Amino acid sequence: MPTGAAMSDSLKDRIALEIRTTGPMSIATYMALCLSHPRDGYYRQGRPIGSAGDFITAPEISQMFGELIGFFFVNLWQQIGEPKSFTLLELGPGRGTLMADLLRAATKADGFADALHLQLFESSPPLRTEQATRLGDYHPYWSESLDVAAGDPVFVIANEFFDALPLRQYVRATDGWHERLVGHDGDTLMFGLSPIPIANDAMPVAVQSAAPGEIYETNLAAARVIQQLSTTIARQGGALLAIDYGYARTQTGDTLQAVRDHGFANVLDRPGETDLSAHVDFETLAAVATTAGLVAPPLATQGDFLMRLGIAERAKSLARANPQTADAIATALTRLTAPEAMGTLFKVLCIMSPGLQPAGFAA
Ligand code: SAH
């Protein structure tokens, strides 16, 4: 307990108390507390997304993003014979912008709106309120779990959701790997290493030749979400589309990052006031899905995916309809697709029932 001062009750103090009581914690535990603590977690308060928040996401850049994803799902819905009832589930819908754009476009297809059951998976109460405002007309249902209505096909969309799930880090040493942990020194939180070595051959082959000091990240939470939804899709039919920054092949690298006010911050500084995220290991997630019986076409970059779906043509027709916003539309197109912007860092994973031909992926 801090000496001399009255014990304060900030999230940082409670994390320090927990470390004093039970020892250093995994980065996954730290990240889960920082993001999802019921009172002080980052996503429980405030408005992280948008120009007034800490970061901007693709759907907040342009309506074109959600509209094209709407077209993507209408196309799959048609491929499975336009079922009269299906679930559309969004993981981490943020402000509801993506889904509002998606549905405005998709419900132009005859029968889509009548067949739709909209399910939202969202842990943040203030963001749920925003979603209710934007999506109320579609009568969404907010679920506490990833269970979906039995029987119906299910389509899942997740943009910048998997990067927010808690991950663990392991550091290569001469005697194997050691988990990287969060401990503290006085009032300062700091990283340390577990004293227990993990044998190199217990790690994925892709990282076994890592040099000492290199970091390997695993995300059990992400894998479990994919496993559960893959099992459901394998049974009921459907597909999941996940868009996020990440890498196509399992590799080493410390990608844990903290963002506040549109800039990078220290991961251990101001817990609960800073967004924490990490790159997504898409290879591992695709492998979990294929083990569950789904198929995954080769990952697409966000730029290629949107171009194949016709974003350039959509930008032209929007600019024709609103000449005064032509410059803003051109800028948005570049931000979403250019390699030096979001175009190649962001990748698109599709996992789906066998036999479907997803639009936007290389044939
Ligand atoms: N998809 C939105 C928001 C991305 S930010 C967009 O593209 O703008 C991440 C979203 O996931 C937020 O809505 C956040 O509240 C939600 N989220 C993060 N961790 C979650 C969890 N464990 N369970 C449910 N929702 C979560």
Side-chain angles (χ1 to χ4, degrees), residues 187-199:
D187 282 344
T188 312
L189 296 177
M190 42 202 304
F191 288 117
L193 294 182
S194 156
I196 303 170
I198 300 167

Side-chain angles (χ1 to χ4, degrees), residues 43 49 57 59 90 92-94 121-124 127 159-161 164-165:
Y43 280 116
I49 309 155
T57 55
E90 181 166 8
F121 182 66
E122 173 57 66
S123 59
S124 159
L127 289 177
N159 186 61
E160 291 210 39
F161 171 75
L165 298 184

Side-chain angles (χ1 to χ4, degrees), residues 187-262:
D187 282 344
T188 312
L189 296 177
M190 42 202 304
F191 288 117
L193 294 182
S194 156
I196 303 170
I198 300 167
N200 190 38
D201 60 13
M203 292 294 177
V205 175
V207 304
Q208 285 182 7
S209 55
E214 283 195 67
I215 288 180
Y216 167 57
E217 300 176 335
T218 60
N219 197 321
L220 175 62
R224 287 191 58 195
V225 169
I226 291 289
Q227 183 184 43
Q228 182 175 353
L229 291 173
S230 296
T231 306
T232 306
I233 293 171
R235 192 173 55 231
Q236 303 181 188
L240 175 149
L241 193 72
I243 305 166
D244 227 310
Y245 39 95
Y247 31 94
R249 299 262 164 267
T250 299
Q251 56 186 237
T252 54
D254 175 10
T255 75
L256 179 61
Q257 65 182 35
V259 168
R260 190 171 53 240
D261 295 334
H262 300 274

Side-chain angles (χ1 to χ4, degrees), residues 33 131 155 162 268 325:
L33 285 168
Q131 292 155 21
F155 294 117
F162 287 99
L268 298 180
T325 59

